[in-house]
Structures are given as structure tokens and as C-alpha cells.
Amino acid sequence: MQPEITKTENKKIILSGIQASGDLTIGHYAGAIRNWVELQQDYDCYFMVADMHAITSRQIPADLRRRSLDVVAMYAACGINTEKSALFIQSHVTEHAQLAWILNCFTGFGEAQRMTQFKDKSQQHSDNINVGLFSYPVLMAADILLYQADLVPVGDDQKQHIELTRNLAERFNHLYSPTFTVPEPFIAKEGARIMSLQEPWKKMSKSDPNANSCIFLHDEDALIMNKIKRAVTDSGTDIVFDIENRPGVSNLVTLYHVATGKSIKDIEAEFAGLGYEPFKEAVGKAMVELISPIRNTFNDLRSHPDEISALLKSGAQKASKQAFKTLRKVYKKIGFVEPIR
Ligand code: TYM
């Protein structure tokens, strides 16, 4: 079904985002941001900082404010072109909450209950299982559907949420008439699930209490080298990509691929017979080469708050225009009386 929205320049649309609940890691870069940078050439892009999603777990207000701005600066430092792509903070565009409410009324209780991330997070935060956490994927669906996104580039842990978004879009289109584009996930073949450096059978997570498990995009060079050196590898000495049997070394191969763009096959050939030490040295250096310019640009941008404010203002303006258009259409279809202005 074709949506009724006319897209600018006939370009397809992308929306994606990251929660402002912690500092960004190489996992966020590998699974999401590097693909955004690549895809922004060919798509009309909306990249947001999900501050509303972040409050589903308790946040210290000053930290949330600082982190939201950190994420904005990190997007730009990683290569998001803020003149081309709209970069904005979710709560700055009020339509997200408005559409989320409506979509809540089209989501089955059982459907939301089946979300594995809800189950995981309820276990992690058993002292605060709030309704926001439960309807978190519905807000995510609103984020995506407001912009008529064709493609949503994410890491593989978000697949189920995109599936729910697709179901909601199809349900609404079917009940009324074509309104929303039904989005496709974009999950890269490599890097969609970067694992912990200390427990490589677990996803790398910013909230891991073991600081060595995770590389942050603001880590200093020596720290990055050190974390890679201490990364847990498997028994055996050869450098092979075999996630099931050699998760530790496979994770490092993936990180090397993300940093250098070399294929997995070429990486295996490059280090054949060399053992862990020179391999880890090379991975560490490649990580430093990737992260060090990002960190420097990030620090520079963070010391220019006016630049951040300006890009957020224009990003929110561009986003609001599209979001308002979709929401007005939805209001009409469900029978809300048009407001008298
Ligand atoms: P979040 O904030 O947990 O993660 C943001 C993005 O980074 C990816 N990611 C990873 N990829 C590979 N390996 C890892 N270790 C890793 N850790 C994180 C995630 O898959 C994701 O793509 N609900 C979303 C944020 C969101 C959103 C949206 C995303 C809100 N609205 C609309 C897309 C579209 C979340 O919590 O992601």
C-alpha cells in the first residue's frame, strides 16, 4: 500500500535513534551510527536522541541533560552531516508522545508483553517496572511512523521492535486507509551485535559494571589499547571468525573489520599463524585510529554549546514539519475534531 505522504526529492526516508541513558560505546557505532553515516548520502535522514525512552529507568536530571547533549555531539563527531540530516532530541518534537498515545490504543497487551527487551529490562530493574517500560516499543513505533520512514538502521537487538512497528502500521492502514509507510529494518551483516570484551557471550552494554567490558567512544587511546589487550579470548591461538566456538576472538575480528573496513576473510588471512599478541596489538591500534578523531571532534563540539543549540534548533524544525503532517492526518482519520486556532 502506498502512503499518501509526498517525500522530498523522492528520496527514501530513514529514522533512527539512541537512548540518552548512558555514554555511547563502539557497539552503538558498529550497530547503528556507522551505517547512518553511510546511508545518509542516499536517504533523507532523521536521527534523534531518545531522551523520552531514557526515563523508563530512573535518571539523575543533570546527567540526562548532559548526556543528551553528549549524544548529539557524538552523532556529529561520528560523521552525521547536520546540514543534510535532521538531528534532534525526541522530546523537542511533541508529536512523538501524541502519536505514541494513539498507537498504544492499537497495541494488544499480549503483543507488548511478548517483547523480549521488556522481559529483560523488567528483570534488570525489578524495583521499577513502570508502564513506560511496557509501552516503550510503542513510542519507538511512533518515532518511526511519524516520519514515514522506509528504513530503520539498527543493531539486531531492535529487530523485534521494528516488527511490532510494522504490525502497527499495517493494522492502522488496514483499519482506516493507507497512512503509514511500513518500514524495513536495516541490520548490517557484520557489527550488528558487538559483544562484551570480558564475557563475549553477552552483548556489549554501556551499563556493564565491569569497565573493561566496553569501549566508549570517548575513551583515551591508552585505555582503548589496554581494554583490547585484556579482552577475553578463547582457548586456541589461531585468528578465526567462528562466533559459536570462538566468541572472544570473533568479536575482536568484527571490531577490526568495523575499524578498517577489511573483509573477515582478509583479516583471517592477514593474521594466519601469528597468534593473539600481534592481533590484539593491531585491533587496539585500529580502534585508536577510529576513535581518536571522533573523540577530538566530540570534545571540540562540546566546548561550543552555541553550535549544538543551532543544529538542534534546525533539526527540530525540520523534524516537526514532517511529524505534524503525519499526526494531523492520523487525527483526522481516527475522528478527532480539528482544533480551532
Ligand atoms: P539503544 O539506545 O539501546 O541502542 C541504540 C542503537 O545501537 C545499537 N546497539 C548495538 N549494536 C551492536 N552491538 C551492540 N553491543 C549494541 N548496543 C547497542 C542498537 O541495536 C540500536 O540500533 N529503542 C532504541 C532507541 C530508539 C530507536 C527509535 C531506534 C528509540 N526510538 C526509533 C530506532 C528507531 C534503543 O533503546 O536502542
Side-chain angles (χ1 to χ4, degrees):
M1 276 194 275
Q2 281 305 307
E4 295 164 3
I5 293 276
T6 16
K7 293 168 189 168
T8 49
E9 306 163 25
N10 284 332
K11 270 191 177 174
K12 290 204 169 189
I13 295 174
I14 278 181
L15 175 123
S16 200
I18 297 179
Q19 277 196 77
S21 52
D23 293 330
L24 298 196
T25 71
I26 191 67
H28 294 112
Y29 180 82
I33 307 175
R34 83 186 164 117
N35 301 315
W36 305 354
V37 171
E38 194 80 26
L39 293 162
Q40 70 179 339
Q41 310 307 331
D42 301 321
Y43 287 81
D44 226 351
C45 295
Y46 297 87
F47 298 121
M48 51 162 236
V49 177
D51 57 345
M52 289 160 68
H53 279 101
I55 62 164
T56 54
S57 60
R58 210 59 78 220
Q59 303 291 333
I60 297 168
D63 287 352
L64 178 61
R65 204 167 291 124
R66 175 186 54 76
R67 258 198 250 105
S68 299
L69 296 172
D70 282 349
V71 177
V72 172
M74 207 45 110
Y75 284 0
C78 287
I80 297 302
N81 178 345
T82 55
E83 286 181 7
K84 245 170 139 256
S85 304
L87 198 170
F88 63 100
I89 293 181
Q90 187 183 30
S91 64
H92 289 183
V93 181
T94 52
E95 284 82 357
H96 289 251
Q98 293 168 298
L99 183 60
W101 173 254
I102 293 168
L103 295 178
N104 271 324
C105 303
F106 291 83
T107 309
F109 193 86
E111 206 173 19
Q113 218 168 16
R114 277 196 294 277
M115 296 293 117
T116 52
Q117 218 170 57
F118 169 67
K119 291 184 207 163
D120 293 347
K121 290 204 174 170
S122 323
Q123 271 175 2
Q124 278 166 28
H125 307 281
S126 54
D127 55 333
N128 179 22
I129 308 176
N130 58 72
V131 177
L133 191 63
F134 186 66
S135 70
Y136 173 114
V138 182
L139 175 59
M140 184 165 155
D143 300 336
I144 296 166
L145 299 181
L146 270 179
Y147 299 93
Q148 307 291 348
D150 298 279
L151 205 63
V152 189
V154 284
D156 82 347
D157 60 342
Q158 298 300 315
K159 213 162 148 184
Q160 197 185 26
H161 293 161
I162 313 275
E163 204 43 56
L164 175 74
T165 305
R166 288 171 56 81
N167 290 341
L168 290 176
E170 279 166 356
R171 188 170 304 154
F172 195 97
N173 288 349
H174 182 72
L175 278 169
Y176 298 93
S177 58
T179 308
F180 296 123
T181 300
V182 181
E184 296 283 344
F186 176 96
I187 298 171
K189 195 164 160 270
E190 317 297 350
R193 194 174 190 81
I194 297 295
M195 310 308 276
S196 152
L197 297 177
Q198 292 299 313
E199 297 166 282
W201 46 91
K202 270 176 36 186
K203 195 186 80 168
M204 181 183 281
S205 161
K206 65 204 172 214
S207 44
D208 197 315
N210 184 341
N212 284 323
S213 70
C214 194
I215 292 181
F216 291 102
L217 295 178
H218 59 67
D219 277 349
E220 293 295 333
D221 296 352
L223 186 58
I224 297 171
M225 290 300 290
N226 205 12
K227 285 181 178 176
I228 297 286
K229 218 171 263 172
R230 287 161 167 243
V232 167
T233 38
D234 323 284
S235 55
T237 51
D238 41 336
I239 311 304
V240 286
F241 186 79
D242 173 1
I243 292 181
E244 275 217 354
N245 302 306
R246 309 283 300 279
V249 74
S250 302
N251 197 34
L252 294 180
V253 169
T254 304
L255 288 178
Y256 192 61
H257 158 78
V258 166
T260 61
K262 293 179 184 173
S263 74
I264 304 292
K265 251 190 162 167
D266 286 350
I267 296 170
E268 286 177 332
E270 185 179 342
F271 294 99
L274 291 184
Y276 285 148
E277 215 185 296
F279 175 59
K280 280 186 166 179
E281 180 77 14
V283 177
K285 279 189 179 154
M287 280 284 109
V288 165
E289 259 174 54
L290 171 73
I291 290 175
S292 144
I294 291 177
R295 187 188 58 231
N296 294 339
T297 313
F298 167 80
N299 287 335
D300 185 47
L301 256 173
R302 275 311 256 133
S303 60
H304 292 92
D306 291 355
E307 273 179 44
I308 296 184
S309 301
L311 73 87
L312 280 178
K313 187 175 172 194
S314 77
Q317 275 169 350
K318 184 174 172 197
S320 295
K321 216 167 136 191
Q322 178 60 50
F324 178 72
K325 218 159 139 184
T326 302
L327 189 72
R328 207 176 50 177
K329 196 159 285 182
V330 170
Y331 273 17
K332 241 189 204 164
K333 295 207 181 183
I334 60 177
F336 284 180
V337 173
E338 226 180 308
I340 295 114
R341 293 187 195 275

